[in-house]
Amino acid sequence: MTQPAPTARLLAHNVFFALHDRSPEACQRLLGACRTLLAPHPGILFFACGNRAPELHRDVNDLEFDVGLHIVFTDQAAHDTYQDTETHHQFIAENKHNWRNVRVFDSLVAASPGATA
């Protein structure tokens, strides 16, 4: 993974999937597809995906999703290229049948000095 300049404007791409089939097996299938089809793309600085933390129930916690996907790109151009890759389209085609709702939150971010991975 390449390290951006400290003032670089990274693009954080966060996707939250609510599933029709919310079983642990269905969640694991989606997580496996995320890791296999979405992680290996140029321009990704950080990639993570996982289940909603069921033990967190504060008033501010959004409980209306099952799987979260979190990617930080080097810039918007890397994000835009990723959106149009064959494997991204394959991921959508193979998994959208189980998506009850998908919410995407994209933001421009800058790494904080001294932040550690």
Side-chain angles (χ1 to χ4, degrees):
M1 292 185 185
T2 57
Q3 293 298 317
T7 58
R9 288 175 47 110
L10 311 174
L11 192 136
H13 179 63
N14 296 286
V15 184
F16 297 91
F17 300 92
L19 305 179
H20 292 292
D21 176 0
R22 305 177 80 186
S23 69
E25 297 80 15
C27 290
Q28 287 305 310
R29 280 192 300 275
L30 182 58
L31 291 168
C34 287
R35 292 181 189 108
T36 302
L37 297 172
L38 303 181
H41 285 280
I44 290 179
L45 295 174
F46 176 82
F47 178 93
C49 59
N51 295 345
R52 181 179 56 78
E55 64 278 1
L56 297 177
H57 290 280
R58 298 179 308 141
D59 290 342
V60 296
N61 286 112
D62 185 333
L63 305 177
E64 296 301 316
F65 74 98
D66 302 295
V67 171
L69 170 67
H70 314 281
I71 304 173
V72 177
F73 291 94
T74 54
D75 54 24
Q76 185 174 340
H79 164 270
D80 293 350
T81 298
Y82 156 90
Q83 288 293 329
D84 201 33
T85 60
E86 184 178 325
T87 53
H88 185 258
H89 291 292
Q90 179 184 351
F91 171 79
I92 294 168
E94 292 178 1
N95 293 283
K96 69 180 179 180
H97 68 278
N98 194 32
W99 298 344
R100 182 171 46 85
N101 187 27
V102 177
R103 291 178 298 150
V104 178
F105 298 88
D106 292 326
S107 56
L108 294 172
V109 299
S112 297
T116 58

